[in-house]
Amino acid sequence: MAGSEEEARYSRQLYVLGGGARRLPESAVLVSGLRGTGAQVATALVLAGTGRVVLHDCDAACTADRTHQFLLGESDLGQNRAKVSERALAELNPHVVVETHSGELSEAFLASFQVVVLTESPLEEQLRVGDFCHAQGISFIVADTKGLAGQLFCDFGECFVIDDPEEGDPASAAVQHISQGNPGVVTCTGTENFQDGDLVIFSGVQGMTELNGQEPVPVHVLDTSRLEIGDTSSFSPYRCGGLVSRVQRPEECSHEPLCQALEKPKIQMANTEDLPRSLSLHAAFRALHAFRRERGRLPRPRAPADAERVLELARSLGAQQAPLDEDIVLAFASVSAGDLCPVAAVVGALAAQEVLKAITRKFQPLNQWLYFDALECLALPGAAELTETDCAPRGSRYDGQIAVFGANFQERLGHQKYLVVGAGAIGCELLKNFAMMGLAAGPDGELIITDMDTIALSNLHRQLLYRSADISEPKSVVAAAAVQRMNPDVRVTPHLNEVGPATEMLYSDNFFRHLDGVASALDTIEARTYLERRCLRCHTPLVDSGTEGTQGNVLPMVPFLTKPLVQASTPKDGTFPLCTLRYFPRTIQHTLHWARDEFEGLFQLPAEQVNQFMEDPDFLKQQQPSKVLKQVWDSLRERPRDWQDCVHWARRRWQSYYHDTIIQLLHNYPPEHETSPGVPFWAGDRSCPHALTFNPDNDTHLDYVLAAAHLFAQVHRVPPCRGRAAIQATLRDVVLPPFAPQEGLQIPLTEELAEESQVPTDHRHLTQIIQDLVQWRQELVGDEEAQAPLMEPVPFEKDNNVHIDFITAASNLRAENYGISPASWLMSKQIAGRIVPAIITTTAAVAGLACLEVYKLVWGCQDLSCYRNSNINLSTCLLLRVQPQPAPTYRYGGREWSCWDRLEMQGVGADGQAVTVQEVLDWLQRTHGWTVTMLLCGDDVLYDSKAAAETRAQQQAQRLSEVSRDARMLQQQDLELLYICEGEDAEAEDTGPPLLCSLP
């Protein structure tokens, strides 16, 4: 049955954290330091549902905090940072206790926490608290950001047990055969997911049932399709079916206390060649602590003397494990007084994920240091020449950002015109960062947010701009209001539109060309690919971001500089062969896909067809397929009078699916059936099913009837009753006629036969169906047209509990038919709803990395080496940032072209009308010397030199405004033409750069 409200709220997170997430409500975490990094850590923990989060800060909020501390409002200035942050955080999640502490961090106080996080903390305090936590077995984390760099340290004690070290479900494979022998050999698909020594369990095996439920056994991988297990010589012969699954084994890790780890750091990185850089940053952070003790302040922005002193202190720290990169230390020190929201977002999100690891014991903790920097930003043209005067404080909320990029850059940020597509998890984090950065906060700036979705309960654990009171409200409208609360100067406009082919009249080429950039926060490959094509066409910079679970990526697309984003082709969402779903399922994915199809076939399509029949008097004259007419006839014939009828209908459906259909299948192909002498039919990919017997006391049987009856009642507008006891009593009295298998019924055994097979049309029965439909329509409508739909179609909704109740029960009953292990309600929801696992930490980190690329775009940077493609995996705490690939080139017409190049032609003649096709041909000849043999607009041939003379003349005289009847193309104003020219040689592409013609 359906999960609780908490489960609905955190469902996407549960898919990431697994069972360990159950520990979150009982945990207590201290977050010390409530500037930007601490605010990000605390926010992520509150959204994730940590039971008790205590905020510690002794200082008052100041104007400069508002560069990066997104929990503060204008009226909070001068008040204790922890206190004012508590109020904002408490609104995020009513299930979390948020408290504050402004005293010292005494041992007695620290002892009540499972995890302690220090941010913005002096080294002396880090060492003292770290020693105590290590001795007491309290997980200890240090997170710090300075300017364009960040530092993360973890100490989870000397013996920390990770219950579930890997992301995703354990590896599994469908069994095809198991030999009797010592050792036994398992033939299966997908052995590449197993390694020697893995422990595995078996389920759903038929014949050699001794393996089912056995204690985990080790395997030896023989090759790509065979695993060796223990002695099976005494087991029963294997018949068919089964699943072999790897068992997750707990792992241990050991951490040193900070006092030891500081001197001999273990630094985690994506590439070993990054070690010298990380070691130099390690020394730079230590030197910065020493500078602050010595001077009582951080180095002044862009002050050479202060930076040199930090370098001297770094040199004096003693022997390094690698040579000190002095340029890195100087660059770090020169902007270390700066505060950037994107950097705080990245480091704070990584730190929050480590807290969740400590509590849930899910994933490998960081071992033990991680350093992050975006110092490449200092190489941007204009940034390298900044002086101490350029970066001096102005008493502005942006002083932390001005310290890094200067006052003129801050003004440039205010002028930006940006489009954010998607106001979900990544979108919320992008908008929060943009508000702090001051993007579009100038008099001519503009920030457009568009999202057609509304806020749901399941959004609230990772979309920080929304609250419970906002549920069912438009995301973009609520997000825009939140942005203005964070920064009233940002000029933000919400839209409720999808950016796609249907809205190209609104989001035209001119619209995209007037933007300074686009930030993509979309959750489908199709939408992301479409947006990429539009930005490529209009030469608009794009920052594309995406996440799945703990993994995420950021890809900047810069006109003429980077290779356009390459999106994978859209996967077929769990499509399987039809005969597999109907007759030979082997996995729970098969049964869930079947259940999802049944949902649509029972509660949506028939109602739509009936409504169409009732509303359209000509429905029967339109040569409807006999299958459709039969469905309409069945739906009207089965119309329930009351709730009891709905229950009886559901009970008959249960009998048909889980008993009668299986009996018919086994009648056609008995368990002993052979495809040829000695070759059993039920073997390999075919598991022999067994029929179920209905039992009203069986919870799954009752769940199916209850959910199916409820949905059937909704379709027919009958008031439902969900009392289980009453339904059980009704079901005990239901007596169904015995089922007799049909002789000669054909069951297709291949995909091709399944698609081709059709029940022969019984014309006499079809005639009776049509007569009945005519009569029923007359009785229901009379001489009046139908005023309201007779039935209510019910589309599948993944966040509707009754829908998931039906899917779970329907799938698990079918799984029982075939000996497949059942799925939980939550797992069924994920697979059937095609839900992408999501968590706030990943989205926050990805949005932070995306905003670092936005900084570069705002500078107008045309140096490829300054940009970064980023990939993160928070389950292993890995962050990989690499230079994007350059824009590819090709040769055409004797010269080299970039993939960004296109030809532009004014498609307006001297008479003010659209030019003719001949004028286009003349322009290409005159401008580029190309003789065109074929001109195309999409799939339409506008000119073909091989056509007959009369046809060519007609083509040449046609105006461009007449060549496309697609209004959408004309609304874009630019018609895109492709051409093939005479004399193209082998090295040329089929066509040259596209030709864009601006129409009147």
Side-chain angles (χ1 to χ4, degrees):
M1 292 296 286
S4 63
E5 179 185 335
E6 287 81 8
E7 194 170 74
R9 183 186 188 103
Y10 302 118
S11 60
R12 276 63 169 173
Q13 176 177 281
L14 287 170
Y15 300 135
V16 181
L17 298 179
R22 311 295 181 187
R23 300 189 180 107
L24 283 169
E26 308 303 321
S27 60
V29 180
L30 172 68
V31 180
S32 178
L34 264 296
R35 301 186 77 239
T37 306
Q40 185 67 64
V41 174
T43 298
L45 296 180
V46 170
L47 288 172
T50 308
R52 178 169 166 255
V53 178
V54 179
L55 315 174
H56 170 257
D57 200 310
C58 297
D59 295 328
C62 63
T63 300
D65 287 336
R66 301 193 69 199
T67 309
H68 55 122
Q69 221 287 24
F70 52 89
L71 300 173
L72 302 178
E74 188 70 35
S75 61
D76 296 327
L77 301 181
Q79 302 180 58
N80 178 271
R81 267 196 295 258
K83 278 289 184 188
V84 294
S85 298
E86 176 194 17
R87 292 196 291 268
L89 288 170
E91 294 178 355
L92 286 177
N93 193 338
H95 303 288
V96 175
V97 176
V98 184
E99 300 172 350
T100 62
H101 177 74
S102 56
E104 66 169 323
L105 299 180
S106 67
E107 293 183 355
F109 174 69
L110 294 170
S112 63
F113 298 99
Q114 282 80 54
V115 189
V116 171
V117 184
L118 299 186
T119 70
E120 304 289 341
S121 178
L123 182 58
E124 295 76 16
E125 184 175 62
Q126 294 176 13
L127 291 166
R128 176 180 66 82
V129 174
D131 284 345
F132 175 78
C133 290
H134 188 85
Q136 297 298 313
I138 299 169
S139 296
F140 175 65
I141 297 171
V142 173
D144 201 2
T145 56
K146 292 290 183 289
L148 283 162
Q151 172 192 63
L152 185 61
F153 170 77
C154 289
D155 171 15
F156 286 10
E158 295 177 7
C159 185
F160 181 80
V161 177
I162 307 115
D163 293 337
D164 191 358
E166 296 183 14
E167 186 166 15
D169 297 322
S172 63
V175 176
Q176 295 176 324
H177 186 263
I178 307 174
S179 69
Q180 288 175 296
N182 187 12
V185 175
V186 181
T187 303
C188 57
T189 56
T191 58
E192 65 274 6
N193 296 321
F194 296 91
Q195 297 179 351
D196 283 347
D198 280 347
L199 295 177
V200 301
I201 57 173
F202 290 84
S203 61
V205 174
Q206 297 184 38
M208 197 177 285
T209 55
E210 294 91 338
L211 284 174
N212 295 330
Q214 190 184 52
E215 289 295 310
V217 296
V219 298
H220 170 59
V221 180
L222 293 176
D223 52 38
T224 56
S225 62
R226 296 184 302 156
L227 301 173
E228 206 173 65
I229 57 174
D231 186 357
T232 61
S233 56
S234 63
F235 291 174
S236 307
Y238 172 81
R239 194 167 80 237
C240 61
L243 197 70
V244 56
S245 304
R246 185 172 62 199
V247 176
Q248 294 277 25
R249 289 187 286 185
E251 298 180 10
E252 290 186 2
C253 71
S254 179
H255 285 166
E256 296 177 343
L258 179 61
C259 57
Q260 295 177 26
L262 198 63
E263 300 301 328
K264 295 182 178 180
K266 297 177 184 176
I267 301 178
Q268 192 162 303
M269 66 209 80
N271 290 319
T272 53
E273 55 264 31
D274 292 336
L275 180 60
R277 186 180 190 91
S278 292
L279 287 169
S280 295
L281 286 168
H282 184 76
F285 268 93
R286 291 188 67 183
L288 194 66
H289 282 295
F291 182 95
R292 197 166 194 170
R293 284 195 304 271
E294 179 182 280
R295 305 286 179 89
R297 59 173 176 83
L298 290 171
R300 290 185 295 270
R302 305 283 181 158
D306 284 0
E308 286 290 345
R309 180 55 185 156
V310 172
L311 178 59
E312 291 173 10
L313 291 168
R315 291 179 184 135
S316 69
L317 287 173
Q320 299 289 325
Q321 293 180 326
L324 187 68
D325 189 326
E326 297 190 351
D327 289 340
I328 286 177
V329 176
L330 288 171
F332 165 80
S334 70
V335 294
S336 59
D339 293 304
L340 299 177
C341 185
V343 177
V346 174
V347 176
L350 267 60
Q353 185 66 53
E354 296 306 305
V355 175
L356 297 177
K357 291 179 186 179
I359 296 170
T360 64
R361 298 184 178 269
K362 172 75 173 173
F363 306 133
Q364 287 279 357
L366 172 65
N367 187 30
Q368 282 190 265
W369 293 93
L370 180 138
Y371 284 92
F372 162 76
D373 78 271
L375 291 171
E376 74 276 358
C377 292
L378 298 183
L380 296 169
E385 294 78 27
L386 291 172
T387 66
E388 188 174 351
T389 302
D390 296 326
C391 301
R394 265 72 170 168
S396 157
R397 67 175 291 161
Y398 306 115
D399 276 352
Q401 196 161 257
I402 290 171
V404 179
F405 295 122
N408 289 340
F409 177 74
Q410 189 60 53
E411 187 175 343
R412 186 181 298 184
L413 272 168
H415 295 318
Q416 296 297 297
K417 294 178 174 61
Y418 258 73
L419 170 67
V420 177
V421 186
I426 296 176
C428 282
E429 291 293 325
L430 286 171
L431 293 168
K432 173 258 291 180
N433 293 341
F434 287 165
M436 297 296 98
M437 293 159 59
L439 189 81
D444 55 351
E446 185 175 19
L447 181 60
I448 298 170
I449 312 164
T450 188
D451 195 310
M452 60 190 299
D453 203 1
T454 56
I455 298 160
L457 176 62
S458 61
N459 300 147
L460 301 184
H461 81 278
R462 69 195 185 282
Q463 299 181 17
L464 82 151
L465 301 184
Y466 310 135
R467 308 292 182 266
S468 296
D470 299 322
I471 290 176
S472 299
E473 295 296 319
K475 284 186 175 181
S476 60
V477 174
V478 177
V483 166
Q484 291 214 294
R485 286 194 299 273
M486 289 181 173
N487 188 343
D489 293 332
V490 174
R491 297 174 175 268
V492 57
T493 304
H495 289 186
L496 305 178
N497 308 310
E498 179 183 26
V499 178
T503 58
E504 286 182 3
M505 181 171 63
L506 178 62
Y507 304 115
S508 64
D509 285 353
N510 284 336
F511 172 87
F512 273 93
R513 289 193 186 106
H514 282 88
L515 295 171
D516 293 299
V518 175
S520 168
L522 295 162
D523 57 3
T524 69
I525 294 294
E526 303 99 311
R528 292 168 74 177
T529 303
Y530 172 83
L531 194 58
E532 173 205 341
R533 288 201 308 268
R534 294 302 307 279
C535 290
L536 177 65
R537 173 186 170 97
C538 298
H539 292 172
T540 306
L542 169 68
V543 179
D544 178 80
S545 309
T547 69
E548 181 172 354
T550 61
Q551 301 179 51
N553 61 46
V554 174
L555 302 169
M557 190 174 84
V558 188
F560 299 102
L561 196 64
T562 66
K563 181 180 180 179
L565 312 182
V566 179
Q567 302 287 6
S569 60
T570 305
K572 297 179 180 178
D573 290 323
T575 54
F576 300 104
L578 197 58
C579 59
T580 298
L581 297 179
R582 284 183 180 176
Y583 308 111
F584 311 118
R586 301 186 304 278
T587 68
I588 199 67
Q589 285 80 6
H590 292 157
T591 64
L592 282 164
H593 190 107
W594 174 87
R596 173 78 184 265
D597 287 347
E598 287 302 312
F599 185 101
E600 184 179 274
L602 291 174
F603 309 120
Q604 181 178 352
L605 293 180
E608 291 174 345
Q609 291 163 353
V610 167
N611 290 344
Q612 185 182 355
F613 164 69
M614 297 299 295
E615 294 164 4
D616 183 0
D618 296 326
F619 181 85
L620 295 177
K621 301 175 184 177
Q622 295 167 358
Q623 300 298 314
Q624 299 291 341
S626 59
K627 180 181 176 182
V628 171
L629 296 177
K630 177 69 164 54
Q631 286 177 335
V632 173
W633 184 77
D634 283 339
S635 296
L636 292 173
R637 183 172 55 88
E638 294 177 331
R639 286 184 69 205
R641 295 162 300 177
D642 53 25
W643 171 244
Q644 292 288 96
D645 283 353
C646 295
V647 173
H648 286 187
W649 175 88
R651 172 66 180 87
R652 291 194 300 272
R653 281 289 167 184
W654 190 102
Q655 192 73 11
S656 173
Y657 288 152
Y658 307 112
H659 180 273
D660 299 353
T661 301
I662 302 301
I663 294 295
Q664 180 69 58
L665 181 60
L666 293 175
H667 176 76
N668 284 46
Y669 303 106
E672 66 278 4
H673 185 74
E674 294 182 342
T675 54
S676 59
V679 180
F681 177 85
W682 295 107
D685 290 343
R686 298 182 188 137
S687 297
C688 186
H690 68 280
L692 305 183
T693 301
F694 185 80
N695 178 2
D697 295 321
N698 182 300
D699 282 342
T700 307
H701 297 197
L702 191 58
D703 288 347
Y704 176 89
V705 172
L706 186 59
H710 182 97
L711 290 162
F712 191 65
Q714 182 180 346
V715 168
H716 289 278
R717 307 180 192 277
V718 172
C721 172
R722 289 179 59 85
R724 290 176 74 86
I727 290 179
Q728 276 180 311
T730 299
L731 292 172
R732 292 186 206 283
D733 296 332
V734 174
V735 178
L736 298 179
F739 174 73
Q742 286 183 250
E743 298 294 339
L745 182 66
Q746 295 297 311
I747 294 179
L749 300 182
T750 66
E751 178 69 1
E752 292 76 15
L753 292 174
E755 291 178 348
E756 293 172 3
S757 65
Q758 291 183 349
V759 177
T761 302
D762 182 338
H763 293 286
R764 184 160 51 178
H765 182 49
L766 183 58
T767 301
Q768 184 62 53
I769 285 175
I770 293 174
Q771 289 174 355
D772 290 345
L773 290 177
V774 171
Q775 180 182 341
W776 291 342
R777 190 179 191 280
Q778 181 66 25
E779 291 172 357
L780 290 167
V781 178
D783 295 328
E784 302 293 331
E785 292 302 318
Q787 296 301 308
L790 184 66
M791 296 170 65
E792 178 186 337
V794 180
F796 174 74
E797 171 50 57
K798 61 182 177 292
D799 286 317
N800 185 301
N801 289 346
V802 176
H803 295 195
I804 303 302
D805 288 346
F806 174 84
I807 293 289
T808 305
S811 169
N812 284 343
L813 287 167
R814 189 161 177 80
E816 187 180 349
N817 279 140
Y818 285 87
I820 299 167
S821 297
S824 66
W825 189 89
L826 201 61
M827 180 181 179
S828 300
K829 177 177 179 176
Q830 180 187 6
I831 296 173
R834 297 160 192 159
I835 295 172
V836 177
I839 193 167
I840 177 61
T841 49
T842 312
T843 53
V846 161
L849 293 166
C851 289
L852 290 172
E853 301 310 304
V854 171
Y855 280 138
K856 301 164 189 178
L857 292 173
V858 173
W859 275 107
C861 175
Q862 287 297 308
D863 182 350
L864 185 66
S865 67
C866 289
Y867 288 95
R868 295 291 182 270
N869 287 345
S870 298
N871 287 277
I872 61 169
N873 188 336
L874 298 193
S875 68
T876 53
C877 206
L878 287 180
L879 172 57
L880 179 64
R881 302 176 73 233
V882 298
Q883 178 180 306
Q885 293 184 353
T889 59
Y890 61 95
R891 293 196 64 80
Y892 183 84
R895 59 165 285 192
E896 188 171 75
W897 302 86
S898 163
C899 65
W900 287 90
D901 286 331
R902 77 274 182 98
L903 309 179
E904 296 183 3
M905 173 187 174
Q906 285 297 320
V908 185
D911 56 0
Q913 296 188 56
V915 296
T916 63
V917 168
Q918 182 60 53
E919 287 176 295
V920 175
L921 302 178
D922 292 343
W923 184 86
L924 286 167
Q925 175 68 53
R926 183 173 64 253
T927 308
H928 296 282
W930 298 339
T931 300
V932 175
T933 58
M934 184 171 286
L935 186 67
L936 304 104
C937 178
D939 295 330
D940 297 329
V941 177
L942 308 187
Y943 173 75
D944 184 356
S945 62
K946 295 180 181 179
E950 184 179 349
T951 301
R952 284 203 316 273
Q954 291 174 350
Q955 291 173 337
Q956 291 164 320
Q958 194 172 25
R959 294 190 182 274
L960 289 189
S961 56
E962 302 166 352
V963 300
S964 174
R965 302 305 174 196
D966 187 342
R968 177 171 54 81
M969 281 190 176
L970 298 180
Q971 285 156 0
Q972 287 183 202
Q973 297 303 309
D974 287 345
L975 207 59
E976 184 171 324
L977 306 181
L978 300 178
Y979 46 87
I980 298 173
C981 295
E982 188 178 78
E984 290 182 0
D985 54 35
E987 69 173 353
E989 299 289 338
D990 287 342
T991 58
L995 169 61
L996 297 188
C997 292
S998 300
L999 298 181

